[in-house]
Amino acid sequence: MKLFDESLPWYKGNLHLHTRRSDGRVEPEQAMAFYERAGYDFLAVTDHRKCAPQRTFGSLLVLSGCELDYTFDDQVVHIVGVGLNDAPSERTLACLDPNQGISGIREAGGLAILAHPHWSLNTLEMLKSLKGLSAMEIYNSVSNTPWNGRRADSSAFADLAATHGMALNLVASDDAHFYNGDECKSFIRVNAPECSREALLSALDQGRFYASQGPSFEQIELTETELVVRCSPVNHVIFYSNRPWVSQRCVTGKGMTRAAYPLNPADRYLRCAIIDENGREAWSNPLVF
């Protein structure tokens, strides 16, 4: 089984950023211009509890988006909504229950993504209570120095969730606020027939995408005996699963473009990360068995 359709093109996008409509430092058009100049194909502007309609900006498809935020005693929950057909109701934008927010996003035709769970100190109990999520962020650029503490990487949380039967597809986003280096860093590449809302959301639903800071997955193939990864040149390929120790987990070498992991009946899920010579990482979605 091949995860990606090699006959289809790839589109690069960021699904989480902020502007002066909420707590970002630039106007929406300035943010769009940053990403268009950087060669992105699509974008979602996700200001807090505000939603703008879909539009185009030059060559950039700008999806409708918003971010709903909820504060609890021991954590926060942030839900990013992308690709909405209609603006969420005022009740959805003002609600204090994250499940109402997720339902409102989905009723408006969008996908709901759990934002920066490590930064938010989310627990597995909280994740289990959230119904209707399409994905979670495995990395968001701004949750790192110099803008934040070093809680940008949610890989460990994603693995705990998958180990406990709550595997979600994984996106990387900037969550850009400052636009002094937190923009145009972390993104997804989507394998879709065209760069339209419908095609992108369908591919996201089907898991035909990966998250990255630079390296590229060319193909991920599951055979009867192994998981095979083909990619751009990287120095590390790491296979993650529910097992804490696996002797074949990490494959290291300069400029590798292929690596394989032998399947084991004890693996309940597998995902892969690749790291290039500059330390930039890319992350696959988990395969659940």
Side-chain angles (χ1 to χ4, degrees):
M1 177 184 71
K2 293 183 177 180
L3 269 64
F4 306 129
D5 186 336
E6 295 178 21
S7 70
L8 298 180
W10 290 91
Y11 298 101
K12 179 179 179 179
N14 173 44
L15 296 180
H16 188 179
L17 65 82
H18 298 275
T19 75
R20 283 183 177 154
R21 296 187 70 234
S22 60
D23 57 350
R25 299 290 178 85
V26 302
E27 297 296 336
E29 289 74 17
Q30 291 175 280
M32 296 171 197
F34 275 117
Y35 286 88
E36 185 193 28
R37 287 197 298 269
Y40 282 62
D41 300 297
F42 66 93
L43 193 68
V45 177
T46 56
D47 282 305
H48 289 278
R49 297 189 180 264
K50 293 183 179 178
C51 190
Q54 180 175 309
R55 59 179 291 190
T56 56
F57 182 88
S59 61
L60 195 66
L61 172 65
V62 183
L63 299 170
S64 179
C66 63
E67 183 173 10
L68 305 180
D69 48 277
Y70 309 91
T71 301
F72 299 89
D73 289 340
D74 58 350
Q75 61 192 294
V76 297
V77 173
H78 287 203
I79 306 295
V80 172
V82 298
L84 294 83
N85 262 330
D86 306 300
S89 68
E90 289 300 321
R91 180 184 178 190
T92 295
L93 292 173
C95 72
L96 301 179
D97 178 354
N99 276 306
Q100 287 183 19
I102 294 170
S103 294
I105 288 168
R106 297 187 70 89
E107 288 168 6
L111 300 182
I113 299 168
L114 179 64
H116 43 65
H118 185 40
W119 179 87
S120 299
L121 297 177
N122 291 150
T123 63
L124 292 181
E125 291 77 13
M126 177 60 77
L127 179 61
K128 187 176 182 180
S129 75
L130 301 176
K131 309 302 181 184
L133 292 171
S134 293
M136 74 167 70
E137 287 180 346
I138 193 167
Y139 197 94
N140 73 311
S141 302
V142 78
S143 292
N144 205 346
T145 51
W147 311 282
N148 228 309
R150 298 183 69 85
R151 291 212 300 259
D153 192 334
S154 293
S155 297
F157 183 80
D159 284 340
L160 281 169
T163 296
H164 289 269
M166 295 177 283
L168 286 168
N169 286 334
L170 304 169
V171 304
S173 302
D174 284 329
D175 191 7
H177 286 72
F178 301 96
Y179 297 90
N180 60 359
D182 60 345
E183 79 283 0
C184 302
K185 282 185 172 294
S186 305
F187 53 87
I188 59 173
R189 289 194 186 274
V190 180
N191 183 216
E194 61 183 17
C195 190
S196 66
R197 173 194 170 274
E198 292 75 15
L200 293 172
L201 264 59
S202 176
L204 290 170
D205 263 338
Q206 296 172 40
R208 287 202 322 274
F209 70 93
Y210 62 87
S212 183
Q213 298 170 317
S216 301
F217 286 102
E218 294 180 4
Q219 187 58 267
I220 300 173
E221 183 175 3
L222 185 67
T223 73
E224 291 184 358
T225 59
E226 59 186 2
L227 183 67
V228 182
V229 170
R230 290 192 287 110
C231 59
S232 60
V234 297
N235 288 5
H236 304 281
V237 181
I238 308 168
F239 297 93
Y240 291 94
S241 75
N242 52 286
R243 293 191 290 156
W245 163 249
V246 179
S247 60
Q248 307 97 331
R249 186 182 302 287
C250 187
V251 184
T252 298
K254 189 172 178 60
M256 297 182 298
T257 58
R258 184 189 185 279
Y261 173 89
L263 300 181
N264 187 294
D267 291 324
R268 296 198 296 272
Y269 77 92
L270 284 171
R271 70 174 181 87
C272 180
I274 55 178
I275 305 173
D276 69 14
E277 63 180 359
N278 297 311
R280 299 179 303 174
E281 194 161 353
W283 305 265
S284 77
N285 290 318
L287 283 169
V288 180
F289 305 110

